[in-house]
Amino acid sequence: KLFINICIFSLFFTNILSLLSLLSLSNSFISFIFCNIYSSKLSDSLYKIHLTNIRKPQKLVFLDSYYRDWTLYFEGPQLKAYRKGKNVPVQGFANGWEIDPNEIKNNFSDAYYTTNPDGSLNLNMSLYFEPDKFNKPIRNISIAGFLSLGLSQLILFRKKT
């Protein structure tokens, strides 16, 4: 778990800063701003993100290999995708999304965000790698096949003795 409440602008420190956090907020996809973000890695394919005091459009940058199937979801009464499939490559390798508070207010009910007295938004989001939803069923099928094969070999071995 990581909370960063200082703002850092840099093109040159990208590699050093990636050691601190895989997620950042920025005014552009060129410079990174590390502020008002709390993230927690639950697995290699799922991160919980809490963004605070979003007043104007910001860029959320996830410093992991770009793949279009990384999807941001708003947490609320049910998960709702935010700009699904519209993340963009950042600096040739990372994933980026524009977080626009006006778009959020216009397209999502207030159950998906909280508004601060100054009008800024707080957001609870999940970042999920969509292809991972197939891993569990495939793994279960593989385990069942392995156990079936092992059991059949055990039965055949007992019949021979």
Side-chain angles (χ1 to χ4, degrees), residues 1-2 22-23 38-50 62 70 73 75 79 124-129 132:
K1 295 181 177 181
L2 184 64
L22 291 175
L23 292 158
Y38 170 80
S39 65
S40 177
K41 179 179 179 179
L42 301 179
S43 71
D44 288 336
S45 61
L46 180 62
Y47 294 80
K48 295 291 183 179
I49 305 166
H50 180 70
F62 178 50
W70 279 105
Y73 288 95
E75 295 179 358
L79 291 177
N124 288 315
M125 305 179 91
S126 294
L127 178 59
Y128 182 65
F129 188 60
D132 193 57

Side-chain angles (χ1 to χ4, degrees), residues 72-142:
L72 278 174
Y73 288 95
F74 283 110
E75 295 179 358
Q78 60 185 4
L79 291 177
K80 280 201 171 180
Y82 179 69
R83 294 186 172 186
K84 186 171 184 171
K86 300 211 177 180
N87 54 319
V88 297
V90 177
Q91 294 187 358
F93 76 97
N95 296 273
W97 294 264
E98 182 167 339
I99 308 295
D100 185 346
N102 293 322
E103 177 185 348
I104 293 166
K105 288 177 185 177
N106 292 334
N107 296 321
F108 294 89
S109 75
D110 58 1
Y112 292 95
Y113 60 87
T114 57
T115 305
N116 298 315
D118 64 358
S120 64
L121 299 183
N122 296 333
L123 307 169
N124 288 315
M125 305 179 91
S126 294
L127 178 59
Y128 182 65
F129 188 60
E130 293 292 331
D132 193 57
K133 64 185 169 193
F134 301 112
N135 286 349
K136 193 172 184 177
I138 290 170
R139 182 182 60 232
N140 291 343
I141 291 168
S142 297

Side-chain angles (χ1 to χ4, degrees), residues 5-21:
N5 201 12
I6 55 174
C7 293
I8 301 170
F9 299 83
S10 178
L11 276 176
F12 305 105
F13 297 123
T14 302
N15 292 332
I16 295 169
L17 294 175
S18 68
L19 298 174
L20 297 174
S21 176

